[in-house]
Amino acid sequence: GQQVMQIPQYQHVQEGEDFTTYCNSSTTLSNIQWYKQRPGGHPVFLIQLVKSGEVKKQKRLTFQFGEAKKNSSLHITATQTTDVGTYFCAGPNSGYSTLTFGKGTMLLVSP
Amino acid sequence: DGGITQSPKYLFRKEGQNVTLSCEQNLNHDAMYWYRQDPGQGLRLIYYSQIVNDFQKGDIAEGYSVSREKKESFPLTVTSAQKNPTAFYLCASSSSAEAFFGQGTRLTVV
């Protein structure tokens, strides 16, 4: 079945440093989604990318969808302590209404 | 308000007892999921359901059971066969475009 892999599993940065997490799917995706889970909370939808090569920005967050629609990245510029949490990517299973989630990247930001 | 509701938020049980976690959604989603999350870890899929009266095992289904008798409801039973049941359990429902998660149930078995 479809697999979605994320790297790194964990990253610890100093406030102000940049951060990037990568997501790779074993199959071509019709779209890819990103979620953020704050400590003690539940994952919350951030964004969906649909087009090949698409780039979207949300303030300091930049999301990219690969040309082959099998990989994606989330880049945070100048991290802040409010960015702490686990970031998940997810892609829909072909022909089904279900999503496959990556294991997530945990980001810790030290002031 | 549309959304997904899990209850209870905290649950304590004695070892050897079965316990059922509730998950209800009013988003009209076909797909529903149960995940387990241990401290500092990612999401591990327990069971998922694509349609009423049908469900599939995820990566860590042993010791768990589910039912999907109604589109809105997908309860999870943690049985006594689950060796390490203490964890944070998340229920979700999705379309192909977006998933919504419940607030989670933190289960502690003593």
Side-chain angles (χ1 to χ4, degrees), chain A residues 36-105:
Chain A
K36 177 182 179 181
Q37 181 181 23
R38 296 181 185 277
H42 60 280
V44 174
F45 176 81
L46 290 177
I47 205 163
Q48 181 192 57
L49 304 171
V50 178
K51 298 177 185 175
S52 170
E54 188 170 13
V55 178
K56 286 188 175 180
K57 292 192 175 186
Q58 290 180 349
K59 296 182 181 178
R60 294 177 294 103
L61 277 61
T62 301
F63 303 84
Q64 288 189 311
F65 200 10
E67 294 290 339
K69 301 183 76 172
K70 293 181 74 172
N71 57 72
S72 181
S73 64
L74 159 59
H75 180 82
I76 303 178
T77 304
T79 54
Q80 299 176 358
T81 54
T82 53
D83 296 324
V84 164
T86 302
Y87 293 86
F88 297 93
C89 63
N93 292 316
S94 176
Y96 298 99
S97 59
T98 54
L99 292 172
T100 298
F101 279 82
K103 299 290 185 202
T105 295

